[in-house]
Amino acid sequence: MKKLVLVLFIVFFHIVGFSQSTKPTDYLSKEFHKSRRDVIRSKMPENSIAVIFANPIRNRANDVDYIFHQDPNFYYLTGYREPNAILLLFSENQTDEFGVDYNEILYVQKRDQRAEMWNGKRLGVEGAISELGFSKAMNADDFINSTINFKKFEAVFIEKFNDDYRNLTGVDIFDLVKTFKVKSGYDPSLFLSRMKEYIYSNIAETPVESSANVIRIIDRLASRSSEIKNDDLLNTYKSATTADLKKEIKQKIIIALQPKTNINIDFLSSTLATMREVKTSEELRLLTKAIRISAVGQVEVMKAMKPHMSETELQGIHEFVYKKYGAEYEGYPSIVGAGNNGCILHYIENNKSKIDNELVLMDLGAEYRGYTADVTRTIPANGKFSTAQKEIYDLVYEAQEAGIANYIIGTSMATPNLAARKIINEGLFSLGIISSIDEKHNYFPHGTSHHIGLDVHDPGNYRNFEENMIVTMEPGIYIPEGSNCDKKYWGIGIRIEDDILVTKNGPINLSAEAPRTTEEIELMMAKKSVLDEFILPNLDN
């Protein structure tokens, strides 16, 4: 009997050890997450607390939920990939009832044998301590019953609530947020909206003599927002006929800008945006892999694409490559638009059943260990660019090259967009698509540059380029059917998007493995694909 128990013991731990050894080992380290918390804490004023919530579970249909995806800021600070959790960071050490000092607490969802049988193992308090490196972790239930006095702190930092969660069974994010609101005295009416705060701040900082400039801003935003249109202070400021009256209203607006609560909804978002702009070496490793996976996906589709294929099939090839490399998800809904569908910026239906001989715009990015790429290529389904397609493509490529050249430390992040826009406007004029280089048009309706990272549109302050930023460069030209130009250009939608690393030695295109020039693309599309012989049974017979 003892021998049998010993054998079973050895087999059990062999199985456990094997299953653990096959899990990914290249996630961000617990030291990384701790370093991020330390940075936040160093920027917090005395006697303050930061409160960060995990993402809610979101419903897909009936009793089926979407795959849970952690809030990027919460993951950035904790490494915790489960729902129903809350992180507290304190500016100074606190002391518990046992006389032990701590400066952070991670509350996690409780271990539950039945729940784990259905939905997978939970980390629990022990895992949060051993695997995530927290010295103090507790169950989420403990937060509900805690006696933390949020009103004693000079500042309580939170991110703005979106309130897009349901009240599920057990202690969930709904309960955690509700409890916090009660304990802290949270009152949404005490906060100005971002738009109103922006306008009020403009008035506070602008001399009365220059009030006409602010009034133009008010009028512009009032045309889009009833909140601004119906604001009594703003309307009184606009209608004031004397400088003295304007000064009087301005003083009331300055008072309205003063905090009416110790809860602050701006500090965390702003501070984390600044931190996440510049990537650490650990982040660069993961993000570079996500980008290279995405570039390889583009290469394989170039080789596999045939005119009889559908948009959905092309999407599947991209995403198969992602999974083959171990990427957990797509960083955003995949965009595969053939012909006129490529002129729809965020076209995600991908349901055209036959791409024929049209151009196909493919904007996709793999998410690897939380970090997402953003790579776009536009290629001809039949492997050869027509003359009109090549004219537009080469113009977009020239604009992209000009933009990338400006990814230099210290350069304004607006510069690449201006450089690309100048080339595109001059090119469209030269081709007769617009009547002058200054003509207002919608053929290039978006900017060229955004941060990537834990979000495909990573937060940032968008001032100047800094070392170890990774920023997209994505000019595009979209000429939908019916446009006021030569019909030969109708239905041409072209975007070229690459992920650029800013370094001391100049920009590095991390997605360069995917061909960009028309010549390189045509050469790649002429190569044999491993999928050429992958033929499935016909299910329609």
Side-chain angles (χ1 to χ4, degrees):
M1 184 66 183
K2 288 182 180 180
K3 288 184 178 180
L4 176 61
V5 171
L6 179 60
V7 169
L8 291 175
F9 181 84
I10 293 171
V11 169
F12 172 77
F13 277 95
H14 173 73
I15 293 172
V16 170
F18 178 77
S19 65
Q20 288 177 342
S21 67
T22 59
K23 291 181 180 179
T25 57
D26 57 346
Y27 290 109
L28 293 168
S29 68
K30 59 186 177 184
E31 289 78 17
F32 168 85
H33 299 295
K34 182 181 184 305
S35 74
R36 301 299 87 192
R37 299 195 298 273
D38 289 343
V39 170
I40 284 283
R41 194 179 292 106
S42 71
K43 296 178 182 298
M44 292 168 59
E46 290 183 4
N47 192 30
S48 62
I49 181 175
V51 184
I52 304 100
F53 294 89
N55 254 349
I57 296 171
R58 293 181 169 90
N59 182 251
R60 182 177 182 270
N62 194 20
D63 59 351
V64 177
D65 295 323
Y66 285 104
I67 295 173
F68 177 74
H69 194 285
Q70 188 58 276
D71 174 80
N73 280 337
F74 194 87
Y75 180 70
Y76 187 70
L77 295 173
T78 66
Y80 189 68
R81 300 192 300 276
E82 300 175 26
N84 308 322
I86 179 173
L87 171 67
L88 304 186
L89 298 177
F90 301 88
S91 55
E92 290 88 27
N93 282 350
Q94 310 293 302
T95 305
D96 65 19
E97 64 272 26
F98 304 108
V100 178
D101 288 345
Y102 62 94
N103 58 14
E104 58 188 21
I105 309 175
L106 180 64
Y107 292 93
V108 299
Q109 57 181 0
K110 184 185 293 186
R111 295 291 306 275
D112 183 301
Q113 186 177 7
R114 179 174 173 78
E116 292 182 47
M117 179 179 70
W118 285 93
N119 299 314
K121 184 179 177 181
R122 296 178 175 184
L123 207 57
V125 169
E126 295 80 7
I129 293 172
S130 62
E131 295 188 30
L132 302 182
F134 281 86
S135 58
K136 189 174 182 66
M138 304 177 75
N139 287 316
D141 309 50
D142 296 319
F143 178 74
I144 303 293
N145 301 316
S146 70
T147 57
I148 297 172
N149 180 10
F150 290 99
K151 296 177 182 178
K152 77 173 184 178
F153 294 98
E154 291 293 321
V156 178
F157 299 119
I158 64 169
E159 294 186 88
K160 185 179 179 182
F161 290 116
N162 292 316
D163 291 337
D164 56 345
Y165 34 74
R166 298 167 297 147
N167 188 6
L168 305 174
T169 56
V171 174
D172 62 0
I173 201 69
F174 181 94
D175 300 305
L176 295 176
V177 170
K178 181 180 178 181
T179 298
F180 168 78
K181 288 179 176 180
V182 171
K183 291 178 182 292
S184 65
Y186 174 84
D187 180 354
S189 69
L190 299 178
F191 301 97
L192 295 175
S193 70
R194 293 286 169 82
M195 189 179 293
K196 187 175 287 189
E197 184 177 14
Y198 169 74
I199 296 176
Y200 279 18
S201 297
N202 266 279
I203 292 173
E205 295 165 7
T206 302
V208 167
E209 296 76 21
S210 302
S211 61
N213 297 327
V214 179
I215 289 173
R216 278 194 289 271
I217 296 174
I218 296 171
D219 288 339
R220 186 179 76 247
L221 295 178
S223 67
R224 308 200 305 258
S225 167
S226 59
E227 178 193 35
I228 303 304
K229 182 180 180 180
N230 299 323
D231 185 275
D232 290 337
L233 275 177
L234 293 179
N235 288 327
T236 306
Y237 182 82
K238 283 174 57 180
S239 61
T241 55
T242 66
D244 286 343
L245 187 53
K246 272 193 165 53
K247 287 179 181 177
E248 181 181 330
I249 303 303
K250 177 178 177 177
Q251 191 57 41
K252 291 181 179 179
I253 286 172
I254 290 172
I255 293 172
L257 280 168
Q258 302 306 309
K260 300 174 181 62
T261 171
N262 67 337
I263 299 175
N264 180 302
I265 60 174
D266 298 316
F267 170 84
L268 272 179
S269 297
S270 174
T271 303
L272 284 163
T274 300
M275 291 169 61
R276 285 174 58 182
E277 277 188 316
V278 177
K279 271 54 181 182
T280 68
S281 58
E282 275 194 74
E283 292 179 288
L284 290 176
R285 172 176 53 81
L286 296 178
L287 191 44
T288 297
K289 187 158 187 180
I291 293 166
R292 294 192 63 196
I293 290 171
S294 305
V296 172
Q298 295 282 358
V299 169
E300 291 305 316
V301 171
M302 287 180 189
K303 293 187 289 187
M305 183 179 287
K306 301 292 185 295
H308 64 78
M309 289 181 167
S310 68
E311 292 173 342
T312 302
E313 188 174 357
L314 297 177
Q315 175 185 345
I317 296 172
H318 279 280
E319 295 175 5
F320 170 73
V321 172
Y322 299 173
K323 301 299 184 185
K324 192 70 174 172
Y325 280 109
E328 297 90 339
Y329 313 109
E330 300 77 57
Y332 52 95
S334 299
I335 298 169
V336 180
N340 202 60
N341 290 339
C343 298
I344 303 170
L345 299 183
H346 287 166
Y347 170 78
I348 59 173
E349 285 82 0
N350 304 342
N351 60 8
K352 191 170 187 174
S353 59
K354 191 177 180 182
I355 58 177
D356 290 323
N357 291 322
E358 298 182 303
L359 281 178
V360 184
L361 187 155
M362 305 177 293
D363 183 339
L364 306 96
E367 180 182 311
Y368 185 83
R369 308 297 183 258
Y371 285 83
T372 180
D374 193 0
V375 180
T376 306
R377 292 293 184 267
T378 309
I379 64 179
N382 62 5
K384 292 288 183 181
F385 288 90
S386 70
T387 300
Q389 291 169 349
K390 181 174 171 56
E391 286 174 339
I392 302 299
Y393 189 100
D394 288 347
L395 180 53
V396 176
Y397 176 79
E398 182 185 354
Q400 192 195 35
E401 284 287 279
I404 292 173
N406 286 286
Y407 279 52
I408 304 298
I409 294 172
T411 300
S412 167
M413 291 188 67
T415 303
N417 182 63
L418 296 173
R421 199 164 292 277
K422 180 177 184 295
I423 287 173
I424 285 178
N425 285 347
E426 290 174 349
L428 291 176
F429 172 65
S430 176
L431 294 171
I433 296 173
I434 59 176
S435 57
S436 75
I437 59 173
D438 299 319
E439 180 184 328
K440 301 286 186 185
H441 62 82
N442 287 322
Y443 297 126
F444 181 15
H446 58 77
T448 61
S449 311
H450 63 79
H451 295 282
I452 59 172
L454 290 170
D455 283 298
V456 66
H457 296 140
D458 232 29
N461 297 311
Y462 288 90
R463 297 189 180 101
N464 296 329
F465 286 112
E466 297 179 43
E467 184 180 12
N468 291 339
M469 285 181 172
I470 299 183
V471 183
T472 64
M473 182 63 203
E474 50 175 315
I477 295 176
Y478 315 89
I479 310 175
E481 294 173 2
S483 295
N484 185 26
C485 66
D486 193 315
K487 286 186 178 181
K488 68 182 180 181
Y489 297 118
W490 286 11
I492 293 179
I494 293 172
R495 179 162 66 249
I496 313 172
E497 180 178 17
D498 285 272
D499 302 334
I500 312 300
L501 172 63
V502 180
T503 78
K504 291 177 180 177
N505 299 316
I508 297 175
N509 185 349
L510 297 177
S511 45
E513 284 171 84
R516 286 190 300 142
T517 68
T518 55
E519 294 79 12
E520 290 170 340
I521 288 170
E522 289 178 349
L523 285 172
M524 184 60 72
M525 294 187 74
K527 292 185 177 182
K528 184 176 176 58
S529 168
V530 295
L531 297 175
D532 286 345
E533 305 303 322
F534 184 63
I535 301 173
L536 296 173
N538 186 343
L539 302 181
D540 294 326
N541 293 337

